């Protein structure tokens, strides 16, 4: 191999190469320039985070420089892979913008870009995105990506002939990877213990976190979407309580949104955020479950998992491969209806009748297609009357998927006349608001959920009093929320290191006398056991037990109500 003079290296990087000097530069300059930029400016939140972890200045500096070189090497390898005419400028621009957007969300909300966060982001609708956009986002994009974008689009890389280009890019990829590996080995001890103790850092390195997540999500989802779901509970039949029944049962399952147990008055929160539920509890038929764990820290994981036959440990938190609770209820012969006031049911309601509150906006409750949760109750009698009469004569299960406390625009979740806690934060930039105002806005959304559940319970009690149905309600939130504790906002922190606020969720159940008698449930027993730990794992089995659906898919051991049921099992 011939040895190149420094001048030849400079040429190899392509700095001159005829034409007007300075008008174009070789890809190496662009690749390494952008890689170094990404590793420094593009990762300021990561360096800030590590700087805040403690240790001596020298230790922190060594970690930051070491990890910085690892990120630079990884980014360079990635950019060399993309260094082709017509591809490079667009791809590099996307990476720079992704780094800018990630930095913004890390700064504002303390979120990290892991595969579930990305999948969740891809599943949100325009309305949810609008809530997250503030003027600071373009400012962050400009600060993080502006200068390199300007340089990149002002001067085109000079590409050269095809064959040397392939060799150069291959060498570039190897060079980038070599830098990453060598630095990682040299600083192994420091970096390894840092990663072990602070797992969140793995998802903080821009823009590699997003590239990794995109690959994972694509690899996970694409093949599964075309695969049909495995059937569940093919043997499902209705139990003996349905023969000669005086009235059919009607169960409402309220799937809450972003409510955390800590701010629920019934769980001993210092503020009375749940006055109506407290009255229902005092009158005897409402039970508050105080130790409930969610399956995930975001909607996309938690909602399918809640209805999944699998526990979290069995893979209930993964993209579903099985049918769910609603398929089993429908297969047993019951009428099932999903009413949504959010960004959809994440595939759970695909095979049962479903409707969106925003499709028929209710005056006073909806603005555009965005509705307060009370809109879910609008025309409910007609909606139930429109279900298959043979099925609804046996029994009905209605799921109501709330908007609940969906952030960051908590202040939009309750109407002006239902805001007991003022003044409240009205900014989507949560860290801008004084903490009391942020709590006020969030607590107002919980108080509105209390009101919504009160309206639903009144409707259910009316149905029971009129003798139309034996009614019941189970409310459980999909996941919790961080409100600035440890600098975190919103939710979606990877489960393994999620704070308690994101996984400890509220849950209540209410049964009319008729439904309690059918199921043989003892209220005293339920109240005594209401502080036992339960989780989303128990939902599938408990609902089937309560509705007396017999199937081998139901595991009595996971039925949280069965210890208090006469006909356990
Ligand atoms: Zn959610």
């Amino acid at each position: 191999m011939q040895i190149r003079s420094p001048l030849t290296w400079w040429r190899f990087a392509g700095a001159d190469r005829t034409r007007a000097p300075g008008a174009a530069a070789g890809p190496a300059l662009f690749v390494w320039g952008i890689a170094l930029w990404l590793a420094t400016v593009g990762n300021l939140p990561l360096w800030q985070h590590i700087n805040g972890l403690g240790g001596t200045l020298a230790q922190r500096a060594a970690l930051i420089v070491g990890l910085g070189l690892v990120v630079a090497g990884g980014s360079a390898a990635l950019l060399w892979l993309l260094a082709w005419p017509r591809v490079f400028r667009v791809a590099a621009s996307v990476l720079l913008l992704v780094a800018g957007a990630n930095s913004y969300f890390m700064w504002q909300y303390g979120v990290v870009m892991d595969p579930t966060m990305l999948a969740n982001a891809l599943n949100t609708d325009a309305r949810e995105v609008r809530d997250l956009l503030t003027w600071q986002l373009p400012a962050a994009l400009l600060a993080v990506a502006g200068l390199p974008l300007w340089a990149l689009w002002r001067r085109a890389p000079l590409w050269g002939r095809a064959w040397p280009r392939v060799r150069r890019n291959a060498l570039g990829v190897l060079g980038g990877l070599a830098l990453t590996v060598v630095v990682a080995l040299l600083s192994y001890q420091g970096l390894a213990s840092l990663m072990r103790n602070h797992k969140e850092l793995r998802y903080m390195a821009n823009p590699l976190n997003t590239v990794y997540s995109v690959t994972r999500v694509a690899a996970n989802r694409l093949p599964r979407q075309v695969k049909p779901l495995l059937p569940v509970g093919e043997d499902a039949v209705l139990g003996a309580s349905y023969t000669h029944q005086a009235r059919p049962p009607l169960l409402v399952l309220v799937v809450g949104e972003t409510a955390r147990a800590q701010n629920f008055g019934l769980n001993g929160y210092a503020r009375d955020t749940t006055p109506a539920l407290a009255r229902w509890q005092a009158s005897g038929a409402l039970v508050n479950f105080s130790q409930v764990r969610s399956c995930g820290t975001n909607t996309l994981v938690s909602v399918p998992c809640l209805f999944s036959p699998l526990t979290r440990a069995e893979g209930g938190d993964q993209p579903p491969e099985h049918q769910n609770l609603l398929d089993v209820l429908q297969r047993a012969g019951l009428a099932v209806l999903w009413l949504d006031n959010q960004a959809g049911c994440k595939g759970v309601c695909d095979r049962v009748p479903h409707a969106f509150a925003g499709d028929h906006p209710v005056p006073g409750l909806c603005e555009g297609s965005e509705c307060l949760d009370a809109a879910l109750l609008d025309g409910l009698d007609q909606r139930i009357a429109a279900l298959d009469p043979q099925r609804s004569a046996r029994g009905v299960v209605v799921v109501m998927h709330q908007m609940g406390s969906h952030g960051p625009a908590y202040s939009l979740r309750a109407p002006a006349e239902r805001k007991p806690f003022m003044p409240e934060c009205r900014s989507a930039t949560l860290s801008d608001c004084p903490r009391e105002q942020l709590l006020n806005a969030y607590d107002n959304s919980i108080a509105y959920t209390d009101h919504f559940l009160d309206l639903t319970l009144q409707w259910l009690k009316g149905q029971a009093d009129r003798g139309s149905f034996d009614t019941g309600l189970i409310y459980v939130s999909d996941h919790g929320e961080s409100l600035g504790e440890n600098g975190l906002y919103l939710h979606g922190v990877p489960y393994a290191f999620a704070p308690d606020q994101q996984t400890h969720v509220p849950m209540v159940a209410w049964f009319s006398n008729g439904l309690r008698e059918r199921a043989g449930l003892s209220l005293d027993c339920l109240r005594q056991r209401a502080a036992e730990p339960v989780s989303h794992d128990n939902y599938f089995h408990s609902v089937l037990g309560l509705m007396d659906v017999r199937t081998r898919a139901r595991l009595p051991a996971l039925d949280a109500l069965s210890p208090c049921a006469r006909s356990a099992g």
Side-chain angles (χ1 to χ4, degrees):
M1 188 184 160
Q2 102 193 62
I3 296 172
R4 292 167 192 270
S5 72
L7 184 67
T8 331
W9 274 110
W10 177 240
R11 288 222 181 93
F12 180 68
D16 61 352
R17 287 267 175 106
T18 69
R19 285 214 265 174
L29 196 66
F30 285 88
V31 165
W32 282 103
I34 295 174
L36 288 174
W37 180 274
L38 284 171
T40 50
V41 181
N43 275 290
L44 285 178
L46 174 60
W47 310 136
Q48 228 177 346
H49 190 79
I50 294 180
N51 192 41
L53 291 178
T56 65
L57 182 65
Q59 282 170 330
R60 278 175 285 158
L63 284 173
I64 290 174
V65 170
L67 198 54
L69 288 171
V70 168
V71 172
S75 304
L78 181 65
L79 287 162
W80 274 119
L81 215 50
L82 301 165
W84 306 99
R86 284 193 289 281
V87 175
F88 182 71
R89 288 213 282 195
V90 174
S93 303
V94 169
L95 291 176
L96 285 164
L97 290 170
V98 159
N102 286 350
S103 299
Y104 166 75
F105 287 110
M106 287 184 218
W107 268 319
Q108 284 304 334
Y109 303 113
V111 300
V112 295
M113 190 46 79
D114 73 327
T116 55
M117 179 61 86
L118 179 85
N120 205 36
L122 294 175
N123 265 272
T124 48
D125 63 8
R127 198 179 55 200
E128 292 179 299
V129 171
R130 204 183 54 211
D131 285 352
L132 284 167
L133 298 184
T134 62
W135 66 266
Q136 282 104 328
L137 178 59
L141 290 179
L142 194 68
V144 174
L147 190 64
L149 280 180
W150 174 78
L152 185 62
W153 287 92
R154 206 177 70 100
R155 286 188 178 189
L158 192 70
W159 291 107
R161 286 199 314 277
W163 174 238
R165 203 192 299 151
V166 173
R167 193 186 54 176
R168 180 197 58 207
N169 284 14
L171 285 174
V173 172
L174 288 177
L177 291 178
L179 175 65
T180 298
V181 171
V182 168
V183 175
L185 287 176
L186 286 178
S187 45
Y188 178 76
Q189 273 212 315
L191 287 182
S193 77
L194 182 73
M195 290 297 167
R196 238 192 335 272
N197 296 326
H198 302 279
K199 293 183 183 154
E200 73 278 7
L201 295 176
R202 293 173 199 195
Y203 300 109
M204 286 186 77
N206 287 328
L208 304 173
N209 50 2
T210 310
V211 174
Y212 168 76
S213 299
V214 166
T215 321
R216 274 284 302 274
V217 168
N220 259 342
R221 266 162 208 281
L222 293 181
R224 287 186 212 222
Q225 261 166 6
V226 286
K227 252 197 296 183
L229 295 177
L230 300 170
V232 172
E234 288 183 293
D235 58 341
V237 291
L238 298 177
S241 65
Y242 290 85
T243 41
H244 311 299
Q245 62 181 359
R247 289 168 300 278
L250 189 162
L251 179 65
V252 169
L253 300 172
V254 178
V255 179
E257 177 59 57
T258 315
R260 65 187 210 182
Q262 187 181 318
N263 289 49
F264 226 57
L266 288 186
N267 289 329
Y269 185 44
R271 287 172 151 184
D272 192 7
T273 50
T274 56
L277 290 176
R279 284 194 297 277
W280 285 93
Q281 188 183 38
S283 73
L286 183 127
V287 182
N288 176 51
F289 295 86
S290 59
Q291 298 297 330
V292 184
R293 279 294 145 196
S294 69
C295 175
T297 61
N298 67 53
T299 311
L300 184 63
V301 169
S302 274
V303 169
C305 185
L306 184 61
F307 290 87
S308 166
L310 304 182
T311 62
R312 187 186 146 73
E314 290 168 339
D317 60 339
Q318 298 299 309
E321 291 178 351
H322 293 81
Q323 292 179 351
N324 62 55
L325 173 62
L326 302 184
D327 296 289
V328 181
L329 293 166
Q330 185 164 261
R331 183 167 289 131
L334 299 172
V336 179
L337 174 63
W338 180 289
L339 297 175
D340 206 290
N341 190 31
Q342 226 199 86
C345 67
K346 316 297 176 197
V348 173
C349 66
D350 286 354
R351 294 161 303 280
V352 302
H354 51 271
F356 289 83
D359 286 351
H360 298 282
V362 186
L365 291 175
C366 301
E367 218 170 283
S369 63
E370 184 163 324
C371 300
L372 294 167
D373 283 327
L376 288 165
L377 296 165
D378 188 76
L380 188 53
D381 297 80
Q382 294 92 306
R383 286 191 194 277
I384 289 173
L387 294 171
D388 178 339
Q390 273 193 320
R391 290 179 172 277
S392 49
R394 295 186 201 112
V396 181
V397 176
V398 179
V399 185
M400 295 186 186
H401 189 203
Q402 270 190 283
M403 187 57 115
S405 303
H406 198 292
Y410 307 119
S411 64
L412 299 180
R413 306 297 162 240
E417 70 276 14
R418 294 212 156 264
K419 291 186 185 291
F421 309 108
M422 291 301 269
E424 64 171 1
C425 169
R426 288 178 175 274
S427 165
T429 310
L430 301 179
S431 48
D432 280 358
C433 286
R435 188 168 157 75
E436 319 83 71
Q437 292 191 19
L438 176 62
L439 282 176
N440 284 349
Y442 183 81
D443 287 343
N444 284 334
S445 74
I446 298 286
Y448 187 73
T449 286
D450 175 69
H451 170 65
F452 164 68
L453 291 174
D454 184 32
L455 294 176
T456 312
L457 287 168
Q458 284 173 29
W459 181 84
L460 285 168
K461 186 166 186 305
Q463 296 289 331
D465 290 348
R466 274 200 299 282
S468 317
F469 290 101
D470 289 329
T471 55
L473 173 142
I474 298 176
Y475 160 82
V476 65
S477 181
D478 64 342
H479 52 76
E481 185 83 326
S482 285
L483 295 169
E485 297 86 5
N486 309 314
L488 291 179
Y489 292 91
L490 304 177
H491 51 264
V493 168
Y495 200 87
F497 41 98
D500 187 70
Q501 288 92 356
Q502 295 195 17
T503 61
H504 184 191
V505 291
M507 173 167 148
V508 299
W510 174 89
F511 309 108
S512 70
N513 290 336
L515 189 66
R516 204 153 39 77
E517 278 158 25
R518 287 178 78 106
L521 284 173
S522 154
L523 270 180
D524 287 337
C525 169
L526 286 174
R527 274 192 292 261
Q528 273 163 25
R529 299 179 63 99
E532 306 262 311
V534 289
S535 75
H536 283 178
D537 286 352
N538 300 104
Y539 197 73
F540 176 92
H541 310 277
S542 308
V543 171
L544 289 179
L546 178 64
M547 291 305 286
D548 194 18
V549 170
R550 304 291 167 109
T551 164
R552 280 195 305 277
R554 172 179 167 266
L555 306 176
L558 287 176
D559 182 342
L561 303 176
S562 75
C564 295
R566 187 185 48 227
S567 53

